[in-house]
Amino acid sequence: MSLPLDPARCRDPLLRPIAEKVAAEERLTPEEGECLYRTDDLISLGQLAAYANERKNGDRVFFSANQHLNPTNVCVLRKTCVFCSFARLQKEDGAYTRTLEEVFEEAGQAEGSPTREFHIVGGLHPKLRLSYYTDMIRGLRDRFPDIHIKALTAVEIAHLARVERTSIRNVLVALQEAGLSTMPGGGAEVFSTAVRATIAERKLTGEEWLRVHRTAHELGIRTNCTMLYGHVETARDRIAHLSALRDLQDETGGFLTYIPLAYHPDHNELGEELGRIGSSTTGFEDLKNIAVGRLFLDNIDHVKTHWPMVTPFMSQVSLSFGCDDVEGTVVYERVYHEAGATTQMHMPYAELVGFIRRAGKRPVERDSLYQAVREDFEDLNHASGDIGPAAGVPVVHAA
Ligand code: V47
């Protein structure tokens, strides 16, 4: 495979030596990473990232038949994680905590659907014990033995260790014994101490987030990683964050995918303070974050776009900027919808397939560990791959 562009033709001359390194498969330095963030030559950047992705994944784009579950939005960090619109205090309007039966009932929508994964995250409830989660995971496993369980962010794991006065490892072992197989990548935000002091004071530190993931990897629990961008962080903060993820991946190889998360400013204190409403990031920034992630994290196989967050339209374009995974069917999305997202919550399976095909890519339904489970979709109505606003174009509801 050769580079699709002559490095000398990058419009931004600062990208030219970086393009040479990408062609030679050489690792980028943090200074080069910052340069990627600073460039306005998005097209050259995107071409380099698309090339790096194609080398790893060819023209395949992965998706998962999944269902998100959020057992509680009650969170002890409600007042200090000022970027979050999902969390509530226990007595606040809109606070909820599901009983296990209610969780099983919502999960019941998986019956008769193609769901292969439950993605479970929630708030840091002051009173829920570890047994609530182990019973939930066991109960889901008993009821849906073929559905993989990806559950709880590093923040929730660290919180449970504190509630139980035990170690991170003990919490992870108990959850793994109950049936947890992988973990999502939320809660990382930006590791910089100064940024955390502004947006997520009292949340676990970057080192602690990395420690939870390192421990999970040691136990054979593969995890995802994320970065929340578009608030008060600088290019240097972003690259320091990505460097820490890359270092841990060198050490353990446990990360499955990297997901850049676009900050949504509605209904949270940070958005108010920054005077932002509706959208905090731009399409330019969203594509850049995908592309830089793909180029800098040379040891992580996949880069995922979360379509409910950046819109299906932007997710589809990101497939030409280094992205190879479009999340999944989702079913219910609460974190971003509380923060102003106006996208649909559920992307039906056939729509996902058509959406990937219309971007000129080859859809692959994957399991939670990126094994292909289905690549032939000829029988699906919406998967015909025809161009234009045909059936299967995702509906984005107006605000
Ligand atoms: O941990 C919260 C972020 C995360 C806002 O691992 C916000 O496969 C933007 O981690 N604006 C939860 N972001 C979502 C998450 C995720 C999503 C999809 C797939 C995976 C995966 C993980 O969302 C939180 C936090 O970092 N978040 N509030 C907000 N207002």
Side-chain angles (χ1 to χ4, degrees):
M1 233 182 109
S2 58
L3 205 60
L5 80 166
D6 175 357
R9 288 187 167 272
C10 289
R11 182 172 58 70
D12 179 352
L14 295 177
L15 287 186
R16 292 174 192 162
I18 300 179
E20 300 279 8
K21 287 184 80 171
V22 172
E25 295 191 51
E26 282 174 37
R27 175 162 279 194
L28 303 183
T29 63
E31 293 70 30
E32 289 162 340
E34 276 186 49
C35 176
L36 297 180
Y37 268 124
R38 296 216 160 90
T39 190
D40 64 357
D41 185 359
L42 183 65
I43 296 301
S44 301
L45 177 64
Q47 279 182 296
L48 294 176
Y51 169 76
N53 172 49
E54 212 180 314
R55 223 164 30 201
K56 284 186 189 292
N57 297 299
D59 64 347
R60 294 183 303 168
V61 168
F62 297 94
F63 70 96
S64 137
N66 64 359
Q67 183 177 339
H68 286 217
L69 298 168
N70 309 109
T72 181
N73 63 355
V74 172
C75 188
V76 296
L77 298 181
R78 157 74 181 87
K79 289 288 184 195
T80 53
C81 269
V82 291
F83 65 88
C84 179
S85 315
F86 172 72
R88 297 285 187 283
L89 293 172
Q90 225 171 338
K91 299 255 159 63
E92 201 173 347
D93 269 3
Y96 73 84
T97 301
R98 306 266 189 256
T99 63
L100 291 185
E101 278 316 314
E102 286 168 339
V103 174
F104 301 146
E105 200 183 312
E106 185 171 322
Q109 296 192 14
E111 267 166 53
S113 85
T115 303
R116 288 183 204 274
E117 176 189 277
F118 290 127
H119 167 122
I120 308 170
V121 296
L124 310 185
H125 195 289
K127 301 225 172 83
L128 290 178
R129 304 292 301 258
L130 177 59
S131 59
Y132 171 83
Y133 294 96
T134 49
D135 289 350
M136 178 190 306
I137 291 170
R138 264 197 203 93
L140 288 170
R141 268 252 302 237
D142 290 347
R143 287 164 179 77
F144 310 95
D146 299 328
I147 300 187
H148 175 108
I149 297 178
K150 174 173 88 180
L152 306 191
T153 63
V155 193
E156 291 164 277
I157 303 288
H159 173 71
L160 284 171
R162 245 186 333 267
V163 168
E164 297 294 337
R165 296 172 194 273
T166 186
S167 67
I168 300 286
R169 182 173 291 268
N170 285 346
V171 170
L172 286 169
V173 166
L175 292 165
Q176 191 178 30
E177 280 171 4
L180 174 148
S181 298
T182 56
M183 276 169 56
E189 323 319 352
V190 172
F191 293 147
S192 146
T193 316
V195 171
R196 277 181 122 67
T198 309
I199 70 162
E201 203 195 346
R202 293 185 51 216
K203 195 169 218 162
L204 86 178
T205 63
E207 287 76 30
E208 286 165 334
W209 187 97
L210 290 161
R211 200 174 311 137
V212 173
H213 282 259
R214 182 181 291 107
T215 309
H217 297 170
E218 284 165 4
L219 292 167
I221 300 171
R222 305 288 304 269
T223 69
N224 292 340
C225 55
T226 60
M227 179 178 73
L228 181 70
Y229 65 92
H231 40 91
V232 299
E233 84 290 358
T234 62
R236 183 156 300 174
D237 294 328
R238 291 178 183 178
I239 286 297
H241 183 97
L242 295 183
S243 296
L245 296 177
R246 192 170 74 175
D247 288 349
L248 182 57
Q249 182 73 342
D250 276 344
E251 195 184 315
T252 65
F255 287 129
L256 287 161
T257 185
Y258 164 66
I259 312 138
L261 298 173
Y263 169 56
H264 278 239
D266 285 1
H267 315 132
N268 58 64
E269 287 82 350
L270 184 63
E272 241 167 71
E273 203 172 306
L274 297 174
R276 297 195 195 145
I277 215 165
S279 171
S280 187
T281 66
T282 60
F284 196 90
E285 274 298 302
D286 294 335
L287 293 175
K288 192 184 259 190
N289 271 280
I290 289 283
V292 178
R294 179 59 289 155
L295 288 166
F296 197 77
L297 298 172
D298 54 8
N299 55 1
I300 298 183
D301 287 341
H302 304 284
V303 173
K304 172 152 88 173
T305 174
H306 190 37
W307 61 259
M309 168 188 73
V310 289
T311 77
F313 302 115
M314 194 50 71
S315 287
Q316 200 180 31
V317 178
S318 74
L319 302 182
S320 297
F321 283 74
C323 177
D324 70 290
D325 185 333
V326 294
E327 175 58 16
T329 42
V330 177
V331 184
Y332 287 106
E333 199 296 314
R334 297 182 175 96
V335 176
Y336 290 95
H337 283 80
E338 290 280 356
T342 55
T343 49
Q344 68 203 78
M345 285 202 185
H346 175 207
M347 177 93 76
Y349 188 97
E351 271 189 29
L352 265 176
V353 170
F355 156 89
I356 295 167
R357 280 197 165 169
R358 283 187 189 83
K361 303 289 181 184
R362 188 152 55 92
V364 177
E365 187 200 339
R366 61 168 177 82
D367 68 10
S368 304
L369 298 170
Y370 284 84
Q371 300 302 308
V373 291
R374 186 171 173 191
E375 299 187 61
D376 180 355
F377 305 100
E378 285 314 314
D379 57 319
L380 294 183
N381 287 343
H382 294 324
S384 62
D386 49 335
I387 309 295
V393 171
V395 178
V396 178
H397 300 296

